[in-house]
Amino acid sequence: MLRRWIRWGGVAAAVLFLAGCQTVRTTQGGAVGVDRGQSMLVSAAEVEQASAQQYAQVIEAARKKGMLNRDRRMLTRVRGIANRLIPQTAAFRSDAPAWRWEVNVIESNELNAWCMAGGKIAIYRGLIDRLKLSDDEIAAVMGHEIAHALREHARERVSQAMVTNLGVSVLSAAVGLGQPGAELMGTVAKVSFELPNSRLHETEADSMGVELAARAGYDPRAAIGLWDKMSAQSNGAPPQWLSTHPSHASRKAELARDAARVMPIYEATRRR
């Protein structure tokens, strides 16, 4: 009898939970035309709060290890590029320029960079040094990562994870078990640092990142050369953090298409 009550209680909770699912459009399409509704089961505010807490922990851990912003010239360079990209986010969503942006460089040899919900950016020194990135290429990396935040891909992935774990998480919430805030932080951390993005998310971030770079006055074609460098460093395969992306040839073709699409924007910006 108890099992039956738990089973039907879980089903009822799941129905109520899914009823709260919203289909939202997080961004405008821009010149590259990214326009897809997203199903969300968790609020933007909750994911932003969890991301800010997780980001603070990562940054503090790097600081304690002496791995945070050690090269002042590199930090100034990276933040300067970010400061040109951030105002351009208004092309996709009007609220984004006013986010509480943070930009830091982590002293690590990893080929890595990320931007958490609400504009919390980290770029790893290894990515810049090992690939000998130009400013245009750094803009391509950062534009790509910023696009993930604009599209709220972390929120979407957290929502998908909640659906996957519905039988446990919904019932736990219904009977008052667990620590929802801590669990949300853990899920945000997992989708941000451990699990690669889906192909769809990577493709959207590529397209929007190219446009952000162009609007900021950086050559959008640099994204193509950047991918060549990443592929060469990874023996022909993408780094783990991009491992779900389509093939090398497919990605280059898509980047070339999008770069051509936004070249008039770049040319107009460069002439100002």
Side-chain angles (χ1 to χ4, degrees):
M1 191 70 176
L2 179 59
R3 281 185 193 169
R4 184 181 299 172
W5 181 88
I6 291 174
R7 182 172 66 250
W8 285 108
V11 170
V15 170
L16 290 172
F17 190 61
L18 288 172
C21 178
Q22 294 182 328
T23 299
V24 301
R25 275 185 160 71
T26 55
T27 58
Q28 301 175 48
V32 291
V34 173
D35 184 22
R36 175 180 64 89
Q38 297 159 273
S39 296
M40 304 297 195
L41 287 171
V42 62
S43 73
E46 288 173 310
V47 173
E48 285 181 20
Q49 181 179 6
S51 294
Q53 292 171 337
Q54 190 66 45
Y55 185 80
Q57 290 182 9
V58 171
I59 295 304
E60 182 58 26
R63 181 181 289 110
K64 287 181 177 178
K65 294 176 183 177
M67 296 173 62
L68 184 68
N69 301 330
R70 286 204 327 217
D71 185 331
R72 183 58 53 180
R73 290 178 63 185
M74 180 174 287
L75 178 63
T76 299
R77 180 187 180 199
V78 168
R79 286 183 173 172
I81 294 169
N83 287 340
R84 286 173 58 178
L85 288 166
I86 289 167
Q88 310 312 318
T89 60
F92 294 103
R93 51 186 299 168
S94 59
D95 64 322
W99 286 353
R100 295 183 178 178
W101 293 87
E102 296 184 54
V103 183
N104 288 284
V105 177
I106 294 178
E107 195 75 17
S108 168
N109 201 40
E110 290 182 57
L111 297 176
N112 204 359
W114 38 266
C115 179
M116 300 184 76
K120 309 301 185 186
I121 299 173
I123 187 165
Y124 290 51
R125 181 175 185 133
L127 186 66
I128 297 172
D129 283 352
R130 287 171 59 188
L131 301 187
K132 298 180 173 57
L133 297 187
S134 66
D135 285 3
D136 290 326
E137 289 167 337
I138 293 174
V141 170
M142 296 182 74
H144 175 99
E145 297 306 321
I146 287 170
H148 281 306
L150 295 176
R151 288 291 292 158
E152 298 187 42
H153 285 155
R155 179 184 171 199
E156 187 175 14
R157 295 171 74 199
V158 167
S159 298
Q160 291 164 352
M162 291 171 76
V163 172
T164 301
N165 298 318
L166 203 56
V168 175
S169 60
V170 171
L171 184 57
S172 296
V175 298
L177 300 178
Q179 298 176 329
E183 289 175 5
L184 180 57
M185 268 190 68
T187 306
V188 166
K190 190 163 189 171
V191 302
S192 297
F193 307 131
E194 297 177 28
L195 302 176
N197 284 289
S198 69
R199 291 186 179 187
L200 176 59
H201 288 179
E202 284 295 291
T203 299
E204 289 181 345
D206 272 353
S207 296
M208 290 175 60
V210 163
E211 181 169 343
L212 285 170
R215 289 184 179 278
Y218 294 103
D219 191 336
R221 296 166 295 189
I224 304 167
L226 169 67
W227 181 245
D228 280 332
K229 289 183 177 182
M230 284 186 174
S231 182
Q233 279 285 332
S234 306
N235 297 318
Q240 184 176 1
W241 57 296
L242 296 175
S243 62
T244 58
H245 204 280
S247 71
H248 178 65
S250 296
R251 187 174 198 183
K252 285 187 67 174
E254 290 166 0
L255 287 169
R257 175 204 65 201
D258 290 330
R261 199 174 282 170
V262 300
M263 278 302 289
I265 296 173
Y266 168 61
E267 295 292 349
T269 304
R270 195 172 56 164
R271 284 196 295 269
R272 289 176 193 163

PDB file of all heavy atoms in Angstrom, residues 158-180:
ATOM      1  N   VAL A 158      19.988  21.911 -17.246  1.00  0.00           N
ATOM      2  CA  VAL A 158      19.522  21.588 -15.895  1.00  0.00           C
ATOM      3  C   VAL A 158      18.077  21.102 -15.959  1.00  0.00           C
ATOM      4  O   VAL A 158      17.704  20.126 -15.300  1.00  0.00           O
ATOM      5  CB  VAL A 158      19.648  22.807 -14.959  1.00  0.00           C
ATOM      6  CG1 VAL A 158      18.880  22.577 -13.664  1.00  0.00           C
ATOM      7  CG2 VAL A 158      21.119  23.090 -14.647  1.00  0.00           C
ATOM      8  N   SER A 159      17.249  21.773 -16.754  1.00  0.00           N
ATOM      9  CA  SER A 159      15.852  21.366 -16.914  1.00  0.00           C
ATOM     10  C   SER A 159      15.766  19.960 -17.489  1.00  0.00           C
ATOM     11  O   SER A 159      14.943  19.144 -17.047  1.00  0.00           O
ATOM     12  CB  SER A 159      15.117  22.358 -17.820  1.00  0.00           C
ATOM     13  OG  SER A 159      15.093  23.652 -17.253  1.00  0.00           O
ATOM     14  N   GLN A 160      16.608  19.662 -18.477  1.00  0.00           N
ATOM     15  CA  GLN A 160      16.617  18.320 -19.060  1.00  0.00           C
ATOM     16  C   GLN A 160      17.054  17.280 -18.036  1.00  0.00           C
ATOM     17  O   GLN A 160      16.503  16.175 -17.977  1.00  0.00           O
ATOM     18  CB  GLN A 160      17.544  18.296 -20.281  1.00  0.00           C
ATOM     19  CG  GLN A 160      17.016  19.103 -21.460  1.00  0.00           C
ATOM     20  CD  GLN A 160      18.075  19.389 -22.506  1.00  0.00           C
ATOM     21  OE1 GLN A 160      19.267  19.130 -22.314  1.00  0.00           O
ATOM     22  NE2 GLN A 160      17.650  19.938 -23.642  1.00  0.00           N
ATOM     23  N   ALA A 161      18.040  17.645 -17.207  1.00  0.00           N
ATOM     24  CA  ALA A 161      18.497  16.726 -16.161  1.00  0.00           C
ATOM     25  C   ALA A 161      17.395  16.471 -15.139  1.00  0.00           C
ATOM     26  O   ALA A 161      17.246  15.363 -14.628  1.00  0.00           O
ATOM     27  CB  ALA A 161      19.733  17.297 -15.470  1.00  0.00           C
ATOM     28  N   MET A 162      16.607  17.498 -14.847  1.00  0.00           N
ATOM     29  CA  MET A 162      15.508  17.347 -13.905  1.00  0.00           C
ATOM     30  C   MET A 162      14.456  16.392 -14.447  1.00  0.00           C
ATOM     31  O   MET A 162      13.871  15.601 -13.709  1.00  0.00           O
ATOM     32  CB  MET A 162      14.890  18.712 -13.600  1.00  0.00           C
ATOM     33  CG  MET A 162      15.802  19.621 -12.797  1.00  0.00           C
ATOM     34  SD  MET A 162      15.179  21.311 -12.663  1.00  0.00           S
ATOM     35  CE  MET A 162      13.885  21.081 -11.451  1.00  0.00           C
ATOM     36  N   VAL A 163      14.205  16.439 -15.761  1.00  0.00           N
ATOM     37  CA  VAL A 163      13.268  15.506 -16.379  1.00  0.00           C
ATOM     38  C   VAL A 163      13.820  14.084 -16.285  1.00  0.00           C
ATOM     39  O   VAL A 163      13.105  13.140 -15.948  1.00  0.00           O
ATOM     40  CB  VAL A 163      13.005  15.894 -17.847  1.00  0.00           C
ATOM     41  CG1 VAL A 163      12.197  14.807 -18.542  1.00  0.00           C
ATOM     42  CG2 VAL A 163      12.272  17.219 -17.914  1.00  0.00           C
ATOM     43  N   THR A 164      15.111  13.920 -16.557  1.00  0.00           N
ATOM     44  CA  THR A 164      15.739  12.604 -16.511  1.00  0.00           C
ATOM     45  C   THR A 164      15.629  11.987 -15.129  1.00  0.00           C
ATOM     46  O   THR A 164      15.391  10.785 -14.976  1.00  0.00           O
ATOM     47  CB  THR A 164      17.228  12.713 -16.911  1.00  0.00           C
ATOM     48  OG1 THR A 164      17.305  13.258 -18.222  1.00  0.00           O
ATOM     49  CG2 THR A 164      17.900  11.348 -16.882  1.00  0.00           C
ATOM     50  N   ASN A 165      15.791  12.807 -14.101  1.00  0.00           N
ATOM     51  CA  ASN A 165      15.765  12.320 -12.722  1.00  0.00           C
ATOM     52  C   ASN A 165      14.418  12.559 -12.050  1.00  0.00           C
ATOM     53  O   ASN A 165      14.333  12.617 -10.828  1.00  0.00           O
ATOM     54  CB  ASN A 165      16.862  13.019 -11.906  1.00  0.00           C
ATOM     55  CG  ASN A 165      18.234  12.707 -12.453  1.00  0.00           C
ATOM     56  OD1 ASN A 165      18.520  11.575 -12.817  1.00  0.00           O
ATOM     57  ND2 ASN A 165      19.085  13.714 -12.540  1.00  0.00           N
ATOM     58  N   LEU A 166      13.375  12.681 -12.869  1.00  0.00           N
ATOM     59  CA  LEU A 166      12.082  13.105 -12.353  1.00  0.00           C
ATOM     60  C   LEU A 166      11.578  12.198 -11.235  1.00  0.00           C
ATOM     61  O   LEU A 166      11.081  12.668 -10.218  1.00  0.00           O
ATOM     62  CB  LEU A 166      11.072  13.122 -13.498  1.00  0.00           C
ATOM     63  CG  LEU A 166       9.842  14.009 -13.331  1.00  0.00           C
ATOM     64  CD1 LEU A 166      10.251  15.440 -13.057  1.00  0.00           C
ATOM     65  CD2 LEU A 166       8.968  13.934 -14.564  1.00  0.00           C
ATOM     66  N   GLY A 167      11.715  10.871 -11.414  1.00  0.00           N
ATOM     67  CA  GLY A 167      11.172   9.951 -10.429  1.00  0.00           C
ATOM     68  C   GLY A 167      11.750  10.145  -9.050  1.00  0.00           C
ATOM     69  O   GLY A 167      11.067   9.958  -8.042  1.00  0.00           O
ATOM     70  N   VAL A 168      13.022  10.560  -8.965  1.00  0.00           N
ATOM     71  CA  VAL A 168      13.666  10.774  -7.671  1.00  0.00           C
ATOM     72  C   VAL A 168      13.493  12.201  -7.202  1.00  0.00           C
ATOM     73  O   VAL A 168      12.994  12.468  -6.116  1.00  0.00           O
ATOM     74  CB  VAL A 168      15.164  10.426  -7.754  1.00  0.00           C
ATOM     75  CG1 VAL A 168      15.854  10.761  -6.434  1.00  0.00           C
ATOM     76  CG2 VAL A 168      15.345   8.960  -8.090  1.00  0.00           C
ATOM     77  N   SER A 169      13.866  13.165  -8.058  1.00  0.00           N
ATOM     78  CA  SER A 169      13.911  14.559  -7.601  1.00  0.00           C
ATOM     79  C   SER A 169      12.540  15.128  -7.308  1.00  0.00           C
ATOM     80  O   SER A 169      12.352  15.866  -6.346  1.00  0.00           O
ATOM     81  CB  SER A 169      14.630  15.434  -8.634  1.00  0.00           C
ATOM     82  OG  SER A 169      13.959  15.397  -9.870  1.00  0.00           O
ATOM     83  N   VAL A 170      11.534  14.799  -8.131  1.00  0.00           N
ATOM     84  CA  VAL A 170      10.209  15.342  -7.906  1.00  0.00           C
ATOM     85  C   VAL A 170       9.612  14.786  -6.628  1.00  0.00           C
ATOM     86  O   VAL A 170       9.048  15.509  -5.817  1.00  0.00           O
ATOM     87  CB  VAL A 170       9.286  15.052  -9.101  1.00  0.00           C
ATOM     88  CG1 VAL A 170       7.847  15.423  -8.778  1.00  0.00           C
ATOM     89  CG2 VAL A 170       9.746  15.833 -10.310  1.00  0.00           C
ATOM     90  N   LEU A 171       9.746  13.451  -6.417  1.00  0.00           N
ATOM     91  CA  LEU A 171       9.196  12.854  -5.221  1.00  0.00           C
ATOM     92  C   LEU A 171       9.901  13.376  -3.982  1.00  0.00           C
ATOM     93  O   LEU A 171       9.277  13.656  -2.959  1.00  0.00           O
ATOM     94  CB  LEU A 171       9.318  11.325  -5.285  1.00  0.00           C
ATOM     95  CG  LEU A 171       8.679  10.561  -4.115  1.00  0.00           C
ATOM     96  CD1 LEU A 171       7.198  10.911  -3.999  1.00  0.00           C
ATOM     97  CD2 LEU A 171       8.849   9.066  -4.299  1.00  0.00           C
ATOM     98  N   SER A 172      11.217  13.551  -4.070  1.00  0.00           N
ATOM     99  CA  SER A 172      11.966  14.102  -2.939  1.00  0.00           C
ATOM    100  C   SER A 172      11.461  15.484  -2.582  1.00  0.00           C
ATOM    101  O   SER A 172      11.267  15.811  -1.420  1.00  0.00           O
ATOM    102  CB  SER A 172      13.459  14.155  -3.267  1.00  0.00           C
ATOM    103  OG  SER A 172      13.967  12.853  -3.463  1.00  0.00           O
ATOM    104  N   ALA A 173      11.222  16.308  -3.605  1.00  0.00           N
ATOM    105  CA  ALA A 173      10.715  17.654  -3.349  1.00  0.00           C
ATOM    106  C   ALA A 173       9.312  17.595  -2.755  1.00  0.00           C
ATOM    107  O   ALA A 173       8.963  18.362  -1.859  1.00  0.00           O
ATOM    108  CB  ALA A 173      10.704  18.460  -4.647  1.00  0.00           C
ATOM    109  N   ALA A 174       8.492  16.638  -3.250  1.00  0.00           N
ATOM    110  CA  ALA A 174       7.111  16.555  -2.800  1.00  0.00           C
ATOM    111  C   ALA A 174       7.005  16.180  -1.326  1.00  0.00           C
ATOM    112  O   ALA A 174       6.104  16.623  -0.627  1.00  0.00           O
ATOM    113  CB  ALA A 174       6.352  15.535  -3.647  1.00  0.00           C
ATOM    114  N   VAL A 175       7.928  15.336  -0.850  1.00  0.00           N
ATOM    115  CA  VAL A 175       7.849  14.903   0.553  1.00  0.00           C
ATOM    116  C   VAL A 175       8.867  15.627   1.427  1.00  0.00           C
ATOM    117  O   VAL A 175       9.088  15.266   2.574  1.00  0.00           O
ATOM    118  CB  VAL A 175       8.033  13.366   0.673  1.00  0.00           C
ATOM    119  CG1 VAL A 175       6.929  12.648  -0.053  1.00  0.00           C
ATOM    120  CG2 VAL A 175       9.397  12.933   0.147  1.00  0.00           C
ATOM    121  N   GLY A 176       9.502  16.654   0.863  1.00  0.00           N
ATOM    122  CA  GLY A 176      10.380  17.499   1.672  1.00  0.00           C
ATOM    123  C   GLY A 176      11.751  16.925   1.923  1.00  0.00           C
ATOM    124  O   GLY A 176      12.385  17.255   2.925  1.00  0.00           O
ATOM    125  N   LEU A 177      12.255  16.067   1.056  1.00  0.00           N
ATOM    126  CA  LEU A 177      13.559  15.456   1.257  1.00  0.00           C
ATOM    127  C   LEU A 177      14.631  16.202   0.475  1.00  0.00           C
ATOM    128  O   LEU A 177      14.345  16.891  -0.503  1.00  0.00           O
ATOM    129  CB  LEU A 177      13.536  13.989   0.794  1.00  0.00           C
ATOM    130  CG  LEU A 177      12.539  13.079   1.515  1.00  0.00           C
ATOM    131  CD1 LEU A 177      12.601  11.688   0.910  1.00  0.00           C
ATOM    132  CD2 LEU A 177      12.842  13.012   3.003  1.00  0.00           C
ATOM    133  N   GLY A 178      15.881  16.039   0.893  1.00  0.00           N
ATOM    134  CA  GLY A 178      17.005  16.592   0.150  1.00  0.00           C
ATOM    135  C   GLY A 178      17.213  18.067   0.401  1.00  0.00           C
ATOM    136  O   GLY A 178      16.523  18.699   1.192  1.00  0.00           O
ATOM    137  N   GLN A 179      18.216  18.616  -0.297  1.00  0.00           N
ATOM    138  CA  GLN A 179      18.557  20.029  -0.199  1.00  0.00           C
ATOM    139  C   GLN A 179      18.516  20.604  -1.608  1.00  0.00           C
ATOM    140  O   GLN A 179      19.525  20.609  -2.307  1.00  0.00           O
ATOM    141  CB  GLN A 179      19.941  20.203   0.428  1.00  0.00           C
ATOM    142  CG  GLN A 179      20.028  19.655   1.846  1.00  0.00           C
ATOM    143  CD  GLN A 179      21.437  19.763   2.386  1.00  0.00           C
ATOM    144  OE1 GLN A 179      22.403  19.692   1.638  1.00  0.00           O
ATOM    145  NE2 GLN A 179      21.554  19.930   3.692  1.00  0.00           N
ATOM    146  N   PRO A 180      17.347  21.086  -2.031  1.00  0.00           N
ATOM    147  CA  PRO A 180      17.198  21.534  -3.429  1.00  0.00           C
ATOM    148  C   PRO A 180      18.240  22.539  -3.874  1.00  0.00           C
ATOM    149  O   PRO A 180      18.733  22.476  -4.997  1.00  0.00           O
ATOM    150  CB  PRO A 180      15.793  22.141  -3.441  1.00  0.00           C
ATOM    151  CG  PRO A 180      15.072  21.447  -2.326  1.00  0.00           C
ATOM    152  CD  PRO A 180      16.106  21.206  -1.269  1.00  0.00           C
TER     153      PRO A 180
END
